[in-house]
Amino acid sequence: MAENTELSPTDWVREQTERILQQGTTDGVEIFDRPVVLLTMTGAKSGKKRYVPLMRVEDGGRYAIVASKGGAPEHPVWYFNLKANPEVTLQDGAKVVTLRARELEGAERAQWWQRAVDAYPPYAEYQTKTSRQIPVFVLE
């Protein structure tokens, strides 16, 4: 991963990212006892590379990411980064791949939303906390 990539200002997110970078793998790094992947994306305003550890939602070698922000009324900042710059690097375990994010709608979103809830059940509760539909992206 890039040396000039910025770490999160949020302590627990920065600590998780540093652990992944030190280990060279996402293995053993979890959020609420669930595995994570590490995304590297480009900031919409700054143009700087940023690390974002997210819940691992995978099916048949394809990945999805969920912009839940714990059910907050607004999207996480990384949502806007991804909309502006959809090319990302995903690390799962020691494997690193470059992918493109695409926001889902309709039946495809519903299918991936269920996979996300299966991978991390609190997503269902997060949706009840907000009036916005929580965005789901597939990484291709």
Side-chain angles (χ1 to χ4, degrees), residues 29-107:
V29 179
E30 299 176 337
I31 299 173
F32 303 118
D33 300 321
R34 301 290 178 144
V36 301
V37 294
L38 183 64
L39 261 66
T40 306
M41 61 181 66
T42 304
K45 293 179 183 176
S46 70
K48 295 179 181 178
K49 296 288 185 184
R50 302 196 180 276
Y51 290 120
V52 182
L54 296 168
M55 300 307 297
R56 183 181 187 274
V57 179
E58 181 270 339
D59 183 69
R62 295 179 72 207
Y63 294 87
I65 54 175
V66 178
S68 68
K69 198 175 180 183
E74 69 281 344
H75 296 318
V77 171
W78 65 257
Y79 169 88
F80 302 100
N81 294 342
L82 206 56
K83 292 296 282 187
N85 302 296
E87 188 169 297
V88 299
T89 302
L90 175 134
Q91 181 175 351
D92 183 14
K95 176 180 78 170
V96 178
V97 293
T98 299
L99 301 166
R100 189 166 191 83
R102 178 175 54 88
E103 190 169 359
L104 302 177
E105 297 177 353

Side-chain angles (χ1 to χ4, degrees), residues 6-24:
E6 290 199 1
L7 298 173
S8 173
T10 305
D11 289 343
W12 70 271
V13 175
R14 184 177 58 255
E15 290 165 9
Q16 277 191 325
T17 303
E18 287 173 336
R19 185 170 165 208
I20 292 167
L21 295 174
Q22 288 168 354
Q23 294 177 167

